[in-house]
Amino acid sequence: MSVPVASFAIEVQPTPEQIQVTVERGKAAAAQGVSPDQLHTWFGAKEDLAPRGFIMTKLGSLLVMANHLSLRALAPSEQDIAQVLANGNLLVNVVLFGERVDFAADSYVVLEQAGRTVKPSSVRFDARGDRTTLWPQQPAYRAKVIAQFPYADLDPHTKTTLTVFPSGGGQVSFELDFAHIE
């Protein structure tokens, strides 16, 4: 089963109508048995053991929250919704694969938009990666890098390159079109 996903640019200030439609979509997805992680806006590889991630916008967070609560026969309160809408940051969660258990420690993330670099307000990472199903062969470890970017610094309507720089060197990049992320 799938839930129709509307395509909008990232909404920094969602309207009451957009909020209501999003909450109803989350409830409808729950009624169909769709799990919250299936509602994330995913990017990157679809196959296992390859870099990928998801973006959580304000509307995306509301969608996932409404779905999560509806699966438990609950509904988001006005306070829950207000808390999500008050968040001034876009969250990006990236799963990477590496050769060492600590390959993701001290990773950094940036966005490039029309020649402009957008730096995150915070970056978290797994200091120790989890073993993959291939361990001890490569890629032996999987780790998350999570960054938050202030909406005030973003152009929510443009193509964007997300680049993760693991501390051990190299980089992993993803092309994102913010005009098609809700």
Side-chain angles (χ1 to χ4, degrees), residues 143-157:
K144 289 187 301 248
V145 179
I146 301 169
Q148 294 191 57
F149 294 89
Y151 284 111
D153 296 347
L154 299 174
D155 178 346
H157 303 281

Side-chain angles (χ1 to χ4, degrees), residues 74-97:
L74 301 169
S77 68
E78 290 299 319
Q79 184 178 2
D80 293 333
I81 292 170
Q83 185 176 1
V84 168
L85 296 176
N87 185 351
N89 293 308
L90 173 77
L91 182 135
V92 178
N93 182 323
V94 181
V95 177
L96 300 175
F97 296 86

Side-chain angles (χ1 to χ4, degrees), residues 2-94:
S2 67
V3 174
V5 177
S7 293
F8 305 102
I10 294 172
E11 291 293 341
V12 177
Q13 297 297 328
T15 66
E17 295 79 22
Q18 289 170 317
I19 293 165
Q20 185 60 38
V21 166
T22 300
V23 169
E24 291 305 319
R25 282 182 45 226
K27 290 178 184 179
Q32 294 178 9
V34 176
S35 68
D37 65 331
Q38 291 178 293
L39 299 175
H40 294 308
T41 301
W42 290 92
F43 59 85
K46 294 188 188 284
E47 58 272 358
D48 287 339
L49 304 173
R52 65 183 165 278
F54 63 87
I55 292 177
M56 290 297 286
T57 64
K58 290 180 182 189
L59 288 175
S61 295
L62 286 175
L63 177 66
V64 169
M65 178 177 62
N67 173 264
H68 178 79
L69 291 172
S70 292
L71 288 169
R72 286 149 190 78
L74 301 169
S77 68
E78 290 299 319
Q79 184 178 2
D80 293 333
I81 292 170
Q83 185 176 1
V84 168
L85 296 176
N87 185 351
N89 293 308
L90 173 77
L91 182 135
V92 178
N93 182 323
V94 181

Side-chain angles (χ1 to χ4, degrees), residues 96 103-111 117-125 145-147 149 162-167 170-172:
L96 300 175
F103 80 95
D106 298 320
S107 292
Y108 195 66
V109 182
V110 296
L111 298 175
T117 300
V118 180
K119 296 180 182 177
S121 58
S122 69
V123 177
R124 294 177 299 172
F125 44 80
V145 179
I146 301 169
F149 294 89
L162 166 71
T163 305
V164 182
F165 298 95
S167 63
Q171 67 187 49
V172 178

